[in-house]
Each structure stands twice: as structure tokens, then as C-alpha cells.
């Protein structure tokens, strides 16, 4: 159980009915039950290898009564009302958006989403705000030398934050955790890399995208002066 998965578990409200989508070895599901976060967990994975690994983990822990492992793709592994809390970690932000969009009937009964995108966090936050969710809390955690963003969203309407705050994380900016400076530096490094790559082409530097990237970098540098 690394810091990344523990940070996800920390956001799960006590006595939840949770679903761990893309469970891999089932470690998050095990932690949720052992720590009393969830009364019951459905752990699913679309690939047979991780599914079988999770089955072994749960069986060896003797927690089959509290954790059900399913072979299934995304939220299609669930029936409406089976889970009030959905955890999805270790996937790209765009893929998480697609998984959530594919099963609106399941989301109707869900009260909390806990998401850890590997990339495209801005796009994921935008999707949440555009689909009846608001970001309740966020955290940053370092595991194995990498920084991870974790988002907790609940149902509700809230004004869409400025574009740059969708990249940074609106709750992260409010809380200003210790790792925020590193987070901002990594965002800036990615923008700088994209700008430098486009500067190799005269046509690219004349594009609207190039100008937009430069403006984003300048705006981000302003946030970095806090």
C-alpha cells in the first residue's frame, strides 16, 4: 500500500459502498475494508491477469465476504445503486472521462468520485464541472519519486474555475500544500517543453496554439510567485 493509494483511501467517506475500478491487485479495496472506510467493495478489472491477482489477494486476506472481485470494463461492471463511491486510479484523465461518460445510469446513484489521473487532469476537471460534479477536495502525493494528483468530487453545481486553475487544481490552489511548488514547476516544465518543440518550426511559431502556450506559460509563472 503506497502513499498514492493511501491518499485515495483517505478521501473515502466512512461506511461507504465503494467500487475500485481497474483494481489491479486489489490493494486499495483491501485497505478500504481494513481501515473501516468501506462496508463493502466491488473491485473490478477488465483484464484477466489483474482480475485473478485481485482474487488471490482478497482470498488470502480472508475478506471475500466484504470484497467482490469482478471481471468487467469500467463502470459496466456495476449495476445502478451498488456503489455510492467510485475510485479510479492510475489511468489517463481522458480515459477516466470516457469511463464515466459511458455509464450515466450508474453515476446517478453515486455520491462521490475519487480520481487519480496519470495525465490530462485539466480535461478531467473540466469534465467534472461540465457534468454535474464539483471538486470537493484535492491532494498531492509523492510516491516512487513521482507526483500524483488526487481529486475528490461530489454532486453539485459550481462556477467553472479559470482555465489555469483547472490545470493546477482549484482546491490545491486554495490549500497550497507543501508539494504545490513542485506541482507548478512540473506544469511549467511541460509547457516549456511544448513551446520549445514548436519553436523548431517557423510555421508552428506562427500558429494560434503556439501563442496560446506562451500565454499559458506566462500566466502560470504569475501563479508561481505566490
Amino acid at each position: 500500500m503506497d502513499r498514492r493509494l493511501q491518499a485515495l483511501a483517505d478521501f473515502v467517506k466512512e461506511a461507504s459502498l465503494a467500487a475500485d475500478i481497474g483494481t489491479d491487485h486489489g490493494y486499495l479495496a483491501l485497505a478500504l475494508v481494513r481501515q473501516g472506510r468501506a462496508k463493502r467493495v466491488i473491485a473490478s478489472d477488465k483484464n484477466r491477469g489483474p482480475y485473478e491477482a485481485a482474487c488471490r489477494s482478497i482470498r488470502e486476506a480472508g475478506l471475500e465476504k466484504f470484497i467482490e472481485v469482478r471481471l468487467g470494463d469500467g463502470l459496466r461492471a456495476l449495476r445502478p445503486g451498488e456503489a455510492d463511491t467510485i475510485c479510479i486510479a492510475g489511468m489517463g484523465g481522458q480515459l477516466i472521462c470516457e469511463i464515466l461518460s459511458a455509464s450515466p445510469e450508474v453515476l446517478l446513484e453515486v455520491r462521490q468520485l475519487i480520481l487519480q489521473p496519470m495525465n490530462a487532469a485539466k480535461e478531467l476537471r473540466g469534465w467534472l464541472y461540465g457534468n454535474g460534479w464539483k471538486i470537493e477536495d484535492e491532494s498531492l502525493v509523492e510516491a516512487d519519486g513521482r507526483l500524483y494528483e488526487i481529486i475528490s468530487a461530489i454532486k453539485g453545481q459550481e462556477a467553472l474555475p479559470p482555465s489555469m486553475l483547472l490545470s493546477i487544481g482549484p482546491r490545491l490552489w486554495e490549500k497550497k500544500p507543501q508539494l504545490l511548488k513542485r506541482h507548478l514547476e512540473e506544469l511549467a516544465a511541460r509547457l516549456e517543453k511544448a513551446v520549445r518543440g514548436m519553436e523548431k518550426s517557423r510555421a508552428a511559431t506562427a500558429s494560434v496554439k503556439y501563442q496560446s502556450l506562451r500565454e499559458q506559460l506566462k500566466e502560470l509563472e504569475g501563479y508561481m510567485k505566490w
Side-chain angles (χ1 to χ4, degrees), residues 28-43:
L28 177 60
L30 287 167
L32 293 177
V33 172
R34 285 170 170 163
Q35 296 174 18
R37 294 282 181 173
K39 294 186 293 186
R40 181 173 178 272
V41 182
I42 297 170

Side-chain angles (χ1 to χ4, degrees), residues 3 11 14 16 19 21 23 30 58 94 97 117 125 138 147 149 153-154 159 184 191 200 204 209 215:
R3 292 179 181 177
F11 275 146
E14 193 172 331
S16 293
I21 305 301
T23 191
L30 287 167
I58 278 61
Q94 192 57 51
C97 292
R125 291 185 179 102
E138 296 176 296
L147 202 59
E149 300 170 68
I154 58 174
L184 296 177
L191 283 173
K200 297 175 182 178
K209 182 178 180 180
E215 289 170 5

Side-chain angles (χ1 to χ4, degrees), residues 113-115 117 124-125 128 135 137-138 149-153:
L113 298 173
I114 303 169
L115 312 171
L124 177 55
R125 291 185 179 102
L128 291 169
I135 296 176
D137 203 354
E138 296 176 296
E149 300 170 68
I150 299 165
I151 301 166
S152 173

Side-chain angles (χ1 to χ4, degrees), residues 45-110:
D45 207 289
K46 70 174 184 177
N47 297 311
R48 182 159 291 278
Y51 162 78
E52 292 176 349
C55 287
R56 285 194 299 273
S57 297
I58 278 61
R59 185 171 59 251
E60 290 168 1
L63 292 175
E64 301 101 315
K65 181 180 177 181
F66 303 99
I67 303 172
E68 180 184 351
V69 186
R70 294 181 184 175
L71 185 64
D73 188 4
L75 300 189
R76 295 188 181 95
L78 305 176
R79 293 183 292 275
E82 285 191 303
D84 55 34
T85 303
I86 302 292
C87 302
I88 307 178
M91 303 182 197
Q94 192 57 51
L95 177 57
I96 294 175
C97 292
E98 292 169 7
I99 289 171
L100 297 174
S101 297
S103 300
E105 70 286 354
V106 173
L107 283 188
L108 278 175
E109 306 293 332
V110 172

Side-chain angles (χ1 to χ4, degrees), residues 2 11 13 32-33 38 43 62-63 72 99 108 119 133 135 146 163 171 199 206 208 226:
D2 64 15
F11 275 146
K13 302 183 193 309
L32 293 177
V33 172
L63 292 175
I99 289 171
L108 278 175
N119 54 46
W133 297 85
I135 296 176
R146 177 167 181 165
S163 177
R171 303 288 90 84
E199 285 174 346
V208 173
W226 63 279

